[in-house]
Amino acid sequence: MARIVMKFGGTSMAGSERIRRVAGIVKRQQEAGHEVAVVVSAMAGETDRLVNFCREANALYDPAEYDVVVASGEQVTSGLLALTLQAMGCKARSWLGWQVPIHTDDAHASARIEDIDADALLASMAAGEIAVIPGFQGVSPQGRVTTLGRGGSDTSAVAVAAAVKADRCDIYTDVDGVYTTDPRIVAKARKLPLVTYEEMLELASVGSKVLQTRSVSLAMKEKVRVQVLSSFIDESAPAADTIPGTLIVSDEELEGSDMERQLITGIAADKNEAKITLTGIADRPGAVASIFGPLADSNINVDMIIQNISHDSGKTDVTFTVPKADLPRAQAMIEELKSTIDFEGLIADSNVAKISVVGVGMRSHAGVAATMFKTLADRGINIIAISTSEIKVSVLIDTDETELAVRVLHTVYGLDAAA
Ligand code: ASP
Ligand code: MG
């Protein structure tokens, strides 16, 4: 017997028929002899609809009341799933955030889970009852409803799994696992049986939006084994216990497995960044600080940065990237500080894409970056900026070349599936 936390996303919960399918999957998991808790999202589109109601009611809405409104989407689906399970003859009940309770801080609309009291849940699960828990919500120290930020149900599921010491947290979604790259770009992309927490973090933060990034950090910290798998399956599908999806594990577990490791695990493309170049900046101490200090103060996340060497004139150029959504704000702010920063021109460009190759294998191998640069050069793809971490190399290129870049890199690192 194992203890399993199962999580179902919004597309899996959208409507009675899909909830029945989910209930079938949950029932089968319990019939395999496991103790089961289920964490659910609101129906697809529901949270957006509720957010809109808040905006219409009061443009300057109180985040505490916003949480009361948006948390309702998950309240509905948790009750519906419990009802559906009961209709199938299972013992099941819902546990709202405040009933568990899932304690969070009071940062409404982006609260952090502080502690989950698992006693009642454990007793109910041990008695053969399926615990159905709405994701995304908790309760503040003041006893008010909180929500965790968009996509937060993944984090709820991992936190519940950690609290009940689950053997596995299965995240059921509309894809059947984590792929070497986006299968819509590269038909030869392969599903990965195993990926490490760190790789998943890098892949999640560079645009492969399978899991909320925070949930992966939490899983890594709490050592929760997470499987990503599809909920769009029928009764003949292989059991979740045979790990048909992608299992996210620690480095140690990966090394202990007999999986043959590729040097590179995956390639991600991210079109959500924009580039700013400041020309003719005085090359003196403090010049860069005068740019990035104010950006940081207004919470604009700078990712890649390059500073050119000084021209004879004692001036230099600095290029960096910011999230596309923050480009207008960043631009306005820098123009305003023009005399303090002391630059000649500002060039903004949102026609860029960040391509990243990710893999723990590169820790022990030289030449990953060189292969990447040469492969792109051979195709005439110009690299605008570069950044690296221990397990990732990213380059910034023109958006139009995204698909080509991903495809040639997928091939050169040996990731293409056999035909
Ligand atoms: N329903 C919430 C959202 O759409 C939480 C989630 O589904 O993860 O952000
Ligand atoms: Mg989600």
Side-chain angles (χ1 to χ4, degrees):
M1 190 211 67
R3 192 174 292 149
I4 309 285
V5 172
M6 311 170 75
K7 185 259 171 180
F8 293 88
T11 22
S12 313
M13 296 301 290
S16 305
E17 199 178 313
R18 290 190 181 177
I19 293 177
R20 240 187 325 271
R21 186 212 307 265
V22 164
I25 297 172
V26 173
K27 184 170 189 230
R28 244 173 292 145
Q29 187 66 265
Q30 192 191 38
E31 282 169 355
H34 304 317
E35 286 182 5
V36 178
V38 190
V39 175
V40 294
S41 283
M43 295 192 198
E46 179 64 8
T47 309
D48 287 338
R49 198 175 73 96
L50 296 168
V51 169
N52 254 326
F53 279 131
C54 293
R55 291 204 181 111
E56 282 167 14
N58 184 343
L60 299 170
Y61 51 75
D62 168 9
E65 297 305 343
Y66 162 95
D67 278 349
V68 171
V69 177
V70 299
S72 69
E74 274 78 7
Q75 171 159 343
V76 171
T77 48
S78 60
L80 288 174
L81 180 58
L83 285 171
T84 311
L85 284 164
Q86 289 169 0
M88 290 180 171
C90 300
K91 284 204 283 176
R93 74 153 275 191
S94 62
W95 294 86
L96 300 183
W98 62 270
Q99 293 170 325
V100 174
I102 296 176
H103 294 290
T104 70
D105 61 18
D106 60 3
H108 284 283
S110 59
R112 295 198 155 259
I113 297 179
E114 286 179 339
D115 177 54
I116 298 182
D117 193 340
D119 294 348
L121 278 186
L122 284 168
S124 143
M125 289 164 77
E129 193 171 60
I130 296 167
V132 185
I133 303 155
F136 186 48
Q137 59 174 255
V139 59
S140 76
Q142 294 78 26
R144 303 202 64 182
V145 174
T146 53
T147 65
L148 309 182
R150 300 305 305 272
S153 292
D154 293 335
T155 301
S156 304
V158 171
V160 168
V164 302
K165 302 199 167 41
D167 296 276
R168 211 174 59 232
C169 179
D170 283 343
I171 310 255
Y172 287 84
T173 175
D174 48 5
V175 294
D176 62 356
V178 179
Y179 278 72
T180 48
T181 194
D182 186 343
R184 286 167 305 184
I185 299 182
V186 181
K188 289 178 185 160
R190 282 185 295 115
K191 190 171 74 192
L192 293 159
L194 289 177
V195 44
T196 69
Y197 296 120
E198 282 170 292
E199 289 171 333
M200 195 60 207
L201 269 178
E202 293 284 16
L203 291 168
S205 66
V206 289
S208 114
K209 279 278 158 257
V210 188
L211 293 179
Q212 197 202 30
T213 314
R214 242 171 86 190
S215 69
V216 184
S217 319
L218 185 64
M220 176 156 125
K221 181 166 154 271
E222 300 287 340
K223 299 193 172 54
V224 175
R225 299 168 80 233
V226 176
Q227 174 176 209
V228 174
L229 71 175
S230 174
S231 69
F232 292 88
I233 50 172
D234 57 31
E235 280 172 39
S236 61
D241 297 342
T242 65
I243 318 294
T246 299
L247 194 64
I248 308 171
V249 298
S250 63
D251 278 353
E252 298 77 56
E253 186 167 346
L254 179 78
E255 263 151 39
S257 75
D258 37 337
M259 277 292 305
E260 195 199 322
R261 282 310 283 179
Q262 301 274 3
L263 180 57
I264 295 303
T265 303
I267 297 171
D270 181 3
K271 296 185 179 175
N272 291 317
E273 302 244 330
K275 176 189 77 157
I276 294 178
T277 300
L278 299 183
T279 59
I281 298 185
D283 192 11
R284 57 167 169 77
V288 244
S290 70
I291 309 168
F292 297 118
L295 288 173
D297 291 342
S298 23
N299 260 320
I300 296 174
N301 237 333
V302 174
D303 182 33
M304 306 170 113
I305 304 175
I306 38 174
Q307 178 179 339
N308 294 349
I309 51 162
S310 188
H311 309 302
D312 291 340
S313 56
K315 304 238 169 184
T316 182
D317 299 339
V318 173
T319 296
F320 55 93
T321 62
V322 297
K324 234 175 230 179
D326 291 331
L327 180 61
R329 216 153 55 90
Q331 230 173 316
M333 185 161 145
I334 292 168
E335 289 290 4
E336 212 170 288
L337 293 171
K338 186 154 191 189
S339 56
T340 333
I341 301 175
D342 189 11
F343 62 93
E344 281 160 13
L346 183 158
I347 307 159
D349 181 1
S350 45
N351 250 332
V352 291
K354 183 167 74 171
I355 311 297
S356 306
V357 300
V358 175
V360 287
M362 73 175 74
R363 277 202 191 113
S364 49
H365 278 86
V368 170
T371 301
M372 184 181 198
F373 304 155
K374 173 151 197 320
T375 307
L376 296 176
D378 287 348
R379 294 300 177 119
I381 298 172
N382 188 41
I383 297 172
I384 305 164
I386 301 167
S387 73
T388 64
S389 81
E390 217 191 344
I391 65 163
K392 179 187 74 172
V393 183
S394 302
V395 297
L396 198 67
I397 62 171
D398 195 289
T399 320
D400 296 342
E401 293 169 326
T402 307
E403 279 73 23
L404 175 62
V406 171
R407 220 173 301 127
V408 295
L409 292 172
H410 199 266
T411 302
V412 79
Y413 290 112
L415 297 176
D416 290 352

